[in-house]
């Protein structure tokens, strides 16, 4: 595969952009290669600047559930663009998307749009603290809620991938108010939440963890979390930036039948444009400025292009049978991956929730950060490079998800399986 243009762009990028990338995991350090620079995308494929074609299983880290350049989304963006790209004033497209989101999520009476998932989570936590007048945040080891200071404690995603314990620049004074506990451990959860010495404002959780690789909740874990937080007056925040409109139209909260107090969204609700949102009970959301005293603002919040793309996406996802079809495709693919792993690898574990999954090169069950960290990231790196060079584009980290979109065809998946078998055979030897 000729990659000379990517190589020279990466060399140039490193002179002007730290690490040559605008988000750390894109640099592909943990998988032992350099990034491909992408020129364009269509359907299930992306194309690099050297003209190489890849079947895309990153899907822009989740948003492209309908595939790239989905016609109704492109049309909606074009139409919105004709009206102007940003007003810094309210517009009808914000109301349309807000209605679609609140209809989809019964726990969300009101929603505030922002421009990224990080903005959504950091704003939701501020709101929870303002509402409860308490300080401490409880999070779970290996969960990732974006890069705001308070969350960079035993965080997942790029933080695990690069093996960073925390981050310089985050003052101790801030992280002393963040307590991180193991995911899926009811006993430690209960002990922590009942600890009177902690002044707990909120618990923030990925209801299906997606940033230490995919780790679904253990049976009863989310219900226990809901029961305890309700009893103790702690705000329960579901970070559904990945799972929202992914694991079902109503997200993980619909899938598992749990109503959080606040929900954070991003990715899919922007249809591929930069967006985030947080929403929840009216009583809590009314605390946000200008209705209430908790301040949060944004020049590009509710951007008309992002709102248009989001509404077009959600309307397409409402199509009856959409999730059944997508989940079945993902389940069949996962089953084939599992049988290949069983045939060629000593230790492998496939975790999946709907159309997002992780193939861990490690012994199962993988239920939390500790068990995820036992996976062999170097082996994943070899697999990644094999697949990339055969035109299969995976997440450049063992600790991320692999996304199936509506655009993936039978042929795409068959080709990915064929290449997987070829790579697994090599790894076996
Ligand atoms: N939350 C995404 C990773 N799981 C974002 C990707 C990034 O950090 O660039």
């Amino acid at each position: 595969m000729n990659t000379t243009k990517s190589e020279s762009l990466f060399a140039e990028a490193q002179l002007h952009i730290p690490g040559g990338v605008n988000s750390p995991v894109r640099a592909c350090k943990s998988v032992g290669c350099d990034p491909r620079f992408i020129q364009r995308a269509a359907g299930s494929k992306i194309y690099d600047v050297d003209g190489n074609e890849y079947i895309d299983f990153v899907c822009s880290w989740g948003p492209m559930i309908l595939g790239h350049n989905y016609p109704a989304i492109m049309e909606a963006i074009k139409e919105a663009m004709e009206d102007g790209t940003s007003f810094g004033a309210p517009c009808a497209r914000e109301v349309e998307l807000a209605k679609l989101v609140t209809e989809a999520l019964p726990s969300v009476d009101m929603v505030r749009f922002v421009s990224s998932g990080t903005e959504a989570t950091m704003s939701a936590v501020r709101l929870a603290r303002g509402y409860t007048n308490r300080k401490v945040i409880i999070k779970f080891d290996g969960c990732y809620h974006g890069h705001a200071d308070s969350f960079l404690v035993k965080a997942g995603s790029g933080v695990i991938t690069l093996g960073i314990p925390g981050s310089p620049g985050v003052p101790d004074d801030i992280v002393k108010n963040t307590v991180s506990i193991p995911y899926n451990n009811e006993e430690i959860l209960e002990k922590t939440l009942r600890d009177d010495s902690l002044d707990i404002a909120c618990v923030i959780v990925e209801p299906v963890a997606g940033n230490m690789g995919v780790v679904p909740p253990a049976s009863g874990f989310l219900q226990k979390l809901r029961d305890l937080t309700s009893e103790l007056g702690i705000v329960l925040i579901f970070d559904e930036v990945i799972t929202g409109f992914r694991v079902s139209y109503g997200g993980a909260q619909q899938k598992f039948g749990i109503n959080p107090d606040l929900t954070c969204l991003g990715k899919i609700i922007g249809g591929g444009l930069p967006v985030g949102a947080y929403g929840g009970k009216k009583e809590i959301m009314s605390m946000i400025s200008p209705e209430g005293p908790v301040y949060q603002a944004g020049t590009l919040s509710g951007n008309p292009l992002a709102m248009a793309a989001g509404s077009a996406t959600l309307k397409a996802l409402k199509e009856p049978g959409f999730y059944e079809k997508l989940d079945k495709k993902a389940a069949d693919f996962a089953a084939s991956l599992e049988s290949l792993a069983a045939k060629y690898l000593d230790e492998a574990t496939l975790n999946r929730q709907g159309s997002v999954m992780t193939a861990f090169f490690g012994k199962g069950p993988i239920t939390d950060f500790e068990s995820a960290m036992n996976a062999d990231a170097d082996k994943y790196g070899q697999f990644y490079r094999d697949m990339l060079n055969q035109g299969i584009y995976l997440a450049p980290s063992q600790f991320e998800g692999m996304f199936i979109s509506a655009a993936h065809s039978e042929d795409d998946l068959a080709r990915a399986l064929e290449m997987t078998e070829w790579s697994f055979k090599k790894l076996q030897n």
Side-chain angles (χ1 to χ4, degrees):
M1 198 177 254
N2 176 16
T3 58
T4 48
K5 285 187 184 162
S6 273
E7 282 157 35
S8 85
L9 269 173
F10 190 44
E12 203 183 349
Q14 288 174 87
L15 301 175
H16 307 290
I17 302 169
V21 289
N22 283 306
S23 197
V25 292
R26 294 182 199 170
C28 300
K29 275 190 177 174
S30 80
V31 286
C33 60
D34 289 339
R36 304 286 155 88
F37 278 63
I38 304 305
Q39 179 148 358
R40 68 186 179 89
S44 61
K45 311 273 180 22
I46 54 175
Y47 301 85
D48 71 18
V49 286
D50 291 286
N52 301 305
E53 178 185 277
Y54 305 86
I55 302 168
D56 179 20
F57 291 99
V58 177
C59 293
S60 192
W61 302 91
M64 314 318 293
I65 189 168
L66 294 160
H68 295 279
N69 298 359
Y70 187 77
I73 301 176
M74 300 308 278
E75 273 314 306
I77 296 172
K78 279 183 203 150
E79 202 184 305
M81 199 168 65
E82 296 292 323
D83 290 339
T85 55
S86 181
F87 313 129
C91 68
R93 289 186 171 94
E94 293 164 277
V95 185
E96 185 183 22
L97 186 56
K99 275 160 86 179
L100 283 162
V101 169
T102 52
E103 275 161 25
L105 304 172
S107 74
V108 175
D109 301 330
M110 299 179 104
V111 63
R112 166 64 63 87
F113 292 110
V114 290
S115 297
S116 72
T118 293
E119 244 190 287
T121 52
M122 71 181 209
S123 307
V125 162
R126 181 182 304 142
L127 175 58
R129 284 173 161 155
Y131 176 74
T132 56
N133 204 18
R134 299 180 193 166
K135 273 197 203 138
V136 169
I137 304 170
I138 306 295
K139 70 172 283 293
F140 296 90
D141 303 347
C143 281
Y144 178 73
H145 306 290
H147 61 88
D149 287 356
S150 311
F151 302 126
L152 293 182
V153 179
K154 293 193 181 167
S157 192
V159 184
I160 307 185
T161 301
L162 299 174
I164 303 168
S167 174
V170 176
D172 291 346
D173 263 4
I174 289 184
V175 289
K176 77 174 187 224
N177 290 315
T178 301
V179 174
S180 189
I181 59 175
Y183 188 71
N184 274 336
N185 187 322
E186 286 190 22
E187 207 179 308
I188 296 179
L189 173 70
E190 177 147 16
K191 198 163 163 247
T192 308
L193 297 198
R194 291 196 187 283
D195 183 342
D196 289 335
S197 70
L198 296 173
D199 185 30
I200 304 174
C202 61
V203 177
I204 184 162
V205 66
E206 290 179 82
V208 176
N211 285 288
M212 49 179 142
V214 172
V215 179
S219 165
F221 178 68
L222 295 176
Q223 188 61 58
K224 181 80 178 175
L225 189 49
R226 178 65 286 182
D227 293 346
L228 282 167
T229 47
S230 297
E231 181 196 327
L232 299 165
I234 295 167
V235 174
L236 176 59
I237 306 173
F238 270 16
D239 177 346
E240 296 231 43
V241 169
I242 291 179
T243 53
F245 298 93
R246 165 63 64 179
V247 301
S248 81
Y249 189 71
Q253 53 197 269
Q254 181 187 67
K255 188 103 206 150
F256 296 100
I258 309 286
N259 275 351
D261 301 308
L262 292 176
T263 298
C264 301
L265 297 164
K267 301 199 192 272
I268 289 176
I269 61 156
L273 293 189
V275 96
Y278 62 105
K281 291 181 179 164
K282 187 172 184 334
E283 185 193 331
I284 307 179
M285 291 302 288
S286 305
M287 295 277 296
I288 299 168
S289 196
E291 206 169 330
V294 176
Y295 200 72
Q296 182 272 309
T299 300
L300 291 170
S301 295
N303 173 266
L305 269 58
M307 298 295 104
S311 293
T313 304
L314 268 43
K315 284 178 196 163
L317 298 178
K318 270 180 151 180
E319 182 74 25
F322 177 86
Y323 286 92
E324 287 78 0
K325 204 167 147 199
L326 182 63
D327 288 4
K328 162 95 175 61
K329 183 160 71 173
D332 291 348
F333 179 69
S336 303
L337 267 185
E338 260 183 319
S339 49
L340 288 176
K343 190 165 165 194
Y344 296 107
L345 305 176
D346 294 335
E347 288 181 344
T349 307
L350 198 288
N351 278 3
R352 180 181 71 88
Q353 187 74 59
S355 55
V356 58
M357 65 188 84
T358 298
F360 289 98
F361 287 81
K363 195 163 174 273
I366 290 178
T367 56
D368 57 10
F369 180 67
E370 217 184 312
S371 44
M373 288 307 286
N374 287 332
D376 187 337
D378 289 339
K379 213 170 226 181
Y380 181 84
Q382 289 174 46
F383 174 61
Y384 175 87
R385 294 191 299 274
D386 274 352
M387 297 295 272
L388 184 69
N389 291 326
Q390 297 300 324
I392 312 291
Y393 195 80
L394 303 175
S397 164
Q398 170 69 100
F399 308 107
E400 299 282 0
M402 174 181 197
F403 293 93
I404 307 290
S405 79
H408 283 114
S409 66
E410 292 295 320
D411 283 355
D412 291 334
L413 300 178
R415 168 84 184 150
L417 289 169
E418 188 192 334
M419 289 305 109
T420 299
E421 179 159 23
W422 167 77
S423 175
F424 280 3
K425 265 188 200 164
K426 277 175 62 189
L427 288 168
Q428 185 191 34
N429 298 327

